[in-house]
Amino acid sequence: MEKLGFFAVAPTLICLVYMYVRDKYEKEPWRLLVVGVIIGAVLTFPIMQASGFAMRFMPITGQLGEAAYSSFAVAALVEEGFKFVALFFLVWRNNNLNERLDGIVYAVFISLGFAGVENVLYVFSPHLGGLETALGRAVISVPSHSFFGIIMGYHFALAKFEPNKRAQHLFTAFFAAWAVHGVYNFILLSGHPYYLVVFVPFLLLFWRNGLRKIKTHLATSPFKPSY
Protein backbone atom coordinates (compact mmCIF):
# COMPACT_ATOMS: atom_id res chain seq x y z
CA MET A 1 0.00 0.00 0.00
CA GLU A 2 2.87 2.40 0.81
CA LYS A 3 4.54 1.63 -2.52
CA LEU A 4 1.27 2.25 -4.33
CA GLY A 5 0.84 5.57 -2.51
CA PHE A 6 4.36 6.59 -3.49
CA PHE A 7 3.77 5.89 -7.18
CA ALA A 8 0.41 7.69 -7.01
CA VAL A 9 1.88 10.92 -5.63
CA ALA A 10 5.52 10.98 -6.81
CA PRO A 11 4.89 11.77 -10.52
CA THR A 12 2.96 14.91 -9.65
CA LEU A 13 5.61 16.09 -7.20
CA ILE A 14 8.39 15.44 -9.71
CA CYS A 15 6.60 17.44 -12.42
CA LEU A 16 5.90 20.30 -9.99
CA VAL A 17 9.55 20.46 -8.92
CA TYR A 18 10.69 20.35 -12.56
CA MET A 19 8.46 23.27 -13.51
CA TYR A 20 9.53 25.27 -10.46
CA VAL A 21 13.21 24.72 -11.29
CA ARG A 22 12.73 25.74 -14.92
CA ASP A 23 11.39 29.11 -13.73
CA LYS A 24 14.95 30.17 -13.09
CA TYR A 25 15.03 33.94 -13.57
CA GLU A 26 12.26 35.16 -11.27
CA LYS A 27 10.56 32.61 -9.02
CA GLU A 28 6.83 32.83 -8.41
CA PRO A 29 5.63 33.24 -4.80
CA TRP A 30 5.20 29.78 -3.37
CA ARG A 31 1.92 30.69 -1.68
CA LEU A 32 0.34 31.52 -5.04
CA LEU A 33 1.72 28.33 -6.53
CA VAL A 34 0.24 26.30 -3.67
CA VAL A 35 -3.10 28.03 -4.22
CA GLY A 36 -2.87 27.04 -7.89
CA VAL A 37 -2.29 23.39 -7.00
CA ILE A 38 -5.13 23.43 -4.46
CA ILE A 39 -7.51 24.98 -6.98
CA GLY A 40 -6.58 22.33 -9.53
CA ALA A 41 -7.12 19.60 -6.95
CA VAL A 42 -10.51 20.97 -5.88
CA LEU A 43 -11.56 21.23 -9.54
CA THR A 44 -11.35 17.45 -9.78
CA PHE A 45 -14.74 17.03 -8.18
CA PRO A 46 -16.83 19.48 -10.25
CA ILE A 47 -15.01 18.15 -13.32
CA MET A 48 -16.07 14.61 -12.43
CA GLN A 49 -19.66 15.76 -11.94
CA ALA A 50 -19.75 17.74 -15.18
CA SER A 51 -18.14 14.89 -17.12
CA GLY A 52 -20.62 12.39 -15.76
CA PHE A 53 -23.48 14.69 -16.72
CA ALA A 54 -22.13 15.19 -20.27
CA MET A 55 -21.74 11.44 -20.79
CA ARG A 56 -25.50 11.02 -20.37
CA PHE A 57 -26.07 12.87 -23.64
CA MET A 58 -23.77 10.82 -25.88
CA PRO A 59 -25.49 11.16 -29.26
CA ILE A 60 -23.53 8.52 -31.15
CA THR A 61 -22.77 4.84 -30.84
CA GLY A 62 -19.95 2.61 -31.96
CA GLN A 63 -16.48 2.40 -30.49
CA LEU A 64 -14.90 5.23 -32.50
CA GLY A 65 -17.91 7.52 -32.17
CA GLU A 66 -18.13 7.01 -28.43
CA ALA A 67 -14.36 7.46 -28.11
CA ALA A 68 -14.54 10.75 -30.04
CA TYR A 69 -17.42 12.11 -27.95
CA SER A 70 -15.85 11.02 -24.68
CA SER A 71 -12.47 12.46 -25.67
CA PHE A 72 -13.37 15.81 -27.24
CA ALA A 73 -16.83 16.69 -25.90
CA VAL A 74 -16.36 15.37 -22.38
CA ALA A 75 -12.81 14.89 -21.06
CA ALA A 76 -10.92 17.56 -23.01
CA LEU A 77 -13.73 20.13 -23.09
CA VAL A 78 -14.66 19.89 -19.42
CA GLU A 79 -11.16 19.53 -17.97
CA GLU A 80 -9.45 22.20 -20.06
CA GLY A 81 -12.47 24.50 -19.72
CA PHE A 82 -12.39 24.38 -15.93
CA LYS A 83 -8.61 24.79 -15.87
CA PHE A 84 -8.72 27.75 -18.25
CA VAL A 85 -11.27 29.57 -16.11
CA ALA A 86 -9.24 28.82 -12.96
CA LEU A 87 -6.06 30.12 -14.59
CA PHE A 88 -7.74 33.31 -15.73
CA PHE A 89 -9.20 34.18 -12.34
CA LEU A 90 -6.05 33.19 -10.46
CA VAL A 91 -3.47 35.31 -12.26
CA TRP A 92 -4.83 37.44 -15.11
CA ARG A 93 -4.88 40.58 -12.97
CA ASN A 94 -2.13 39.46 -10.60
CA ASN A 95 1.07 41.50 -10.64
CA ASN A 96 3.10 38.31 -10.30
CA LEU A 97 2.27 37.51 -13.92
CA ASN A 98 5.16 39.67 -15.05
CA GLU A 99 7.00 37.48 -17.56
CA ARG A 100 5.78 35.11 -20.25
CA LEU A 101 7.00 31.94 -18.60
CA ASP A 102 4.70 32.70 -15.65
CA GLY A 103 1.68 31.81 -17.76
CA ILE A 104 3.12 28.33 -18.25
CA VAL A 105 4.11 27.96 -14.60
CA TYR A 106 0.66 28.74 -13.21
CA ALA A 107 -1.15 26.70 -15.87
CA VAL A 108 1.04 23.69 -15.12
CA PHE A 109 0.55 23.98 -11.36
CA ILE A 110 -3.24 24.11 -11.76
CA SER A 111 -3.15 21.23 -14.21
CA LEU A 112 -0.99 19.13 -11.89
CA GLY A 113 -3.27 19.81 -8.94
CA PHE A 114 -6.04 18.18 -10.95
CA ALA A 115 -3.78 15.44 -12.33
CA GLY A 116 -2.52 14.56 -8.85
CA VAL A 117 -5.96 13.93 -7.39
CA GLU A 118 -7.12 12.15 -10.54
CA ASN A 119 -4.05 9.93 -10.39
CA VAL A 120 -4.66 8.94 -6.77
CA LEU A 121 -8.28 8.10 -7.57
CA TYR A 122 -7.22 5.90 -10.50
CA VAL A 123 -4.38 4.16 -8.69
CA PHE A 124 -6.51 3.27 -5.66
CA SER A 125 -9.62 2.41 -7.67
CA PRO A 126 -10.76 -1.15 -6.82
CA HIS A 127 -11.49 -1.81 -10.50
CA LEU A 128 -8.91 0.22 -12.43
CA GLY A 129 -6.09 0.66 -9.92
CA GLY A 130 -2.98 -1.20 -8.90
CA LEU A 131 0.75 -0.98 -9.43
CA GLU A 132 0.52 -1.43 -13.21
CA THR A 133 -1.90 1.49 -13.45
CA ALA A 134 0.33 3.58 -11.17
CA LEU A 135 3.43 2.94 -13.30
CA GLY A 136 1.65 3.57 -16.59
CA ARG A 137 0.11 6.82 -15.42
CA ALA A 138 3.40 7.93 -13.87
CA VAL A 139 5.13 7.66 -17.23
CA ILE A 140 2.33 8.90 -19.51
CA SER A 141 -0.74 10.48 -17.91
CA VAL A 142 0.66 12.86 -15.31
CA PRO A 143 3.43 14.26 -17.56
CA SER A 144 0.86 14.70 -20.33
CA HIS A 145 -1.32 16.83 -18.06
CA SER A 146 1.76 18.98 -17.46
CA PHE A 147 2.13 19.49 -21.18
CA PHE A 148 -1.55 20.33 -21.64
CA GLY A 149 -0.85 23.05 -19.08
CA ILE A 150 2.25 24.20 -20.98
CA ILE A 151 0.24 24.59 -24.19
CA MET A 152 -2.48 26.57 -22.43
CA GLY A 153 -0.07 28.70 -20.40
CA TYR A 154 2.10 29.52 -23.42
CA HIS A 155 -0.75 31.15 -25.33
CA PHE A 156 -2.29 32.60 -22.15
CA ALA A 157 0.94 34.51 -21.56
CA LEU A 158 0.95 35.75 -25.16
CA ALA A 159 -2.56 37.11 -24.57
CA LYS A 160 -1.30 39.00 -21.53
CA PHE A 161 1.79 40.48 -23.17
CA GLU A 162 0.46 41.00 -26.71
CA PRO A 163 -2.75 42.99 -26.12
CA ASN A 164 -3.26 43.67 -29.85
CA LYS A 165 -3.89 39.93 -30.33
CA ARG A 166 -5.45 39.24 -26.93
CA ALA A 167 -8.69 37.60 -28.07
CA GLN A 168 -6.86 35.39 -30.56
CA HIS A 169 -4.33 34.18 -28.00
CA LEU A 170 -6.95 33.56 -25.30
CA PHE A 171 -8.96 31.46 -27.73
CA THR A 172 -5.85 29.54 -28.77
CA ALA A 173 -4.88 28.97 -25.12
CA PHE A 174 -8.06 26.97 -24.63
CA PHE A 175 -8.46 25.55 -28.13
CA ALA A 176 -4.91 24.19 -28.49
CA ALA A 177 -4.99 22.49 -25.07
CA TRP A 178 -8.46 21.10 -25.85
CA ALA A 179 -7.40 19.76 -29.26
CA VAL A 180 -4.22 18.04 -28.07
CA HIS A 181 -5.97 16.62 -25.00
CA GLY A 182 -8.81 15.36 -27.19
CA VAL A 183 -6.48 13.65 -29.67
CA TYR A 184 -4.50 12.13 -26.79
CA ASN A 185 -7.64 10.64 -25.21
CA PHE A 186 -9.12 9.56 -28.54
CA ILE A 187 -6.06 7.52 -29.52
CA LEU A 188 -6.14 5.69 -26.19
CA LEU A 189 -9.91 5.16 -26.06
CA SER A 190 -10.34 4.15 -29.70
CA GLY A 191 -8.50 0.89 -29.20
CA HIS A 192 -7.78 0.95 -32.94
CA PRO A 193 -4.39 -0.66 -33.68
CA TYR A 194 -3.52 1.88 -36.40
CA TYR A 195 -4.16 4.77 -34.05
CA LEU A 196 -2.27 3.16 -31.20
CA VAL A 197 0.79 2.78 -33.43
CA VAL A 198 1.09 6.57 -33.73
CA PHE A 199 0.52 7.19 -30.01
CA VAL A 200 4.17 7.15 -28.92
CA PRO A 201 5.36 9.39 -31.81
CA PHE A 202 2.45 11.74 -31.08
CA LEU A 203 3.36 11.80 -27.40
CA LEU A 204 7.04 12.47 -28.05
CA LEU A 205 6.21 15.18 -30.57
CA PHE A 206 3.91 17.15 -28.31
CA TRP A 207 6.22 16.72 -25.30
CA ARG A 208 9.09 18.08 -27.40
CA ASN A 209 6.90 20.96 -28.52
CA GLY A 210 6.06 21.72 -24.89
CA LEU A 211 9.71 21.86 -23.88
CA ARG A 212 10.35 24.23 -26.78
CA LYS A 213 7.56 26.48 -25.56
CA ILE A 214 9.20 26.68 -22.12
CA LYS A 215 12.52 27.52 -23.73
CA THR A 216 10.94 30.18 -25.96
CA HIS A 217 9.30 32.02 -23.07
CA LEU A 218 12.44 31.72 -20.93
CA ALA A 219 14.44 33.43 -23.67
CA THR A 220 12.15 36.49 -23.56
CA SER A 221 12.29 36.96 -19.78
CA PRO A 222 13.00 40.55 -18.75
CA PHE A 223 14.74 39.11 -15.68
CA LYS A 224 17.27 37.17 -17.76
CA PRO A 225 20.75 38.43 -16.80
CA SER A 226 22.83 40.02 -19.51
CA TYR A 227 26.46 38.99 -19.53
Side-chain angles (χ1 to χ4, degrees):
M1 186 64 73
E2 289 182 4
K3 182 184 292 187
L4 203 58
F6 171 79
F7 282 111
V9 175
T12 302
L13 295 178
I14 291 170
C15 291
L16 287 170
V17 170
Y18 174 80
M19 193 67 249
Y20 185 78
V21 170
R22 288 305 303 270
D23 185 20
K24 59 184 179 179
Y25 297 129
E26 200 254 351
K27 297 291 186 187
E28 299 311 295
W30 66 267
R31 287 185 178 86
L32 193 57
L33 294 175
V34 170
V35 169
V37 172
I38 292 173
I39 289 174
V42 171
L43 285 179
T44 306
F45 304 100
I47 285 173
M48 290 171 60
Q49 293 296 321
S51 298
F53 179 78
M55 285 296 292
R56 299 178 188 175
F57 300 95
M58 183 177 292
I60 45 185
T61 57
Q63 185 172 353
L64 290 182
E66 291 179 2
Y69 180 81
S70 177
S71 299
F72 290 96
V74 181
L77 181 64
V78 174
E79 291 176 21
E80 300 309 323
F82 271 88
K83 287 187 282 186
F84 178 81
V85 171
L87 176 64
F88 187 89
F89 281 101
L90 179 66
V91 295
W92 182 256
R93 298 187 183 279
N94 194 299
N95 292 332
N96 289 293
L97 184 62
N98 54 12
E99 63 172 325
R100 297 186 182 201
L101 186 68
D102 294 346
I104 292 178
V105 173
Y106 288 113
V108 168
F109 270 66
I110 290 171
S111 189
L112 285 172
F114 165 77
V117 175
E118 182 190 54
N119 202 47
V120 169
L121 293 175
Y122 266 105
V123 169
F124 286 99
S125 167
H127 304 293
L128 302 173
L131 187 58
E132 185 176 338
T133 296
L135 293 174
R137 290 186 60 81
V139 174
I140 297 174
S141 299
V142 174
S144 293
H145 275 287
S146 295
F147 284 94
F148 301 149
I150 290 172
I151 294 169
M152 181 180 290
Y154 175 85
H155 294 285
F156 185 84
L158 291 179
K160 181 69 175 181
F161 293 97
E162 296 180 7
N164 58 317
K165 297 181 180 179
R166 180 157 293 166
Q168 173 187 332
H169 287 312
L170 283 175
F171 173 77
T172 305
F174 168 74
F175 180 81
W178 167 81
V180 174
H181 192 160
V183 171
Y184 168 90
N185 274 37
F186 177 72
I187 293 173
L188 291 177
L189 293 177
S190 69
H192 197 290
Y194 291 153
Y195 297 154
L196 292 173
V197 164
V198 304
F199 180 67
V200 172
F202 165 78
L203 205 63
L204 295 176
L205 183 64
F206 101 81
W207 284 3
R208 181 186 178 193
N209 181 261
L211 294 175
R212 278 184 173 179
K213 282 176 164 48
I214 293 175
K215 186 176 180 180
T216 298
H217 275 355
L218 265 176
T220 64
S221 174
F223 305 103
K224 184 179 179 180
S226 56
Y227 300 103

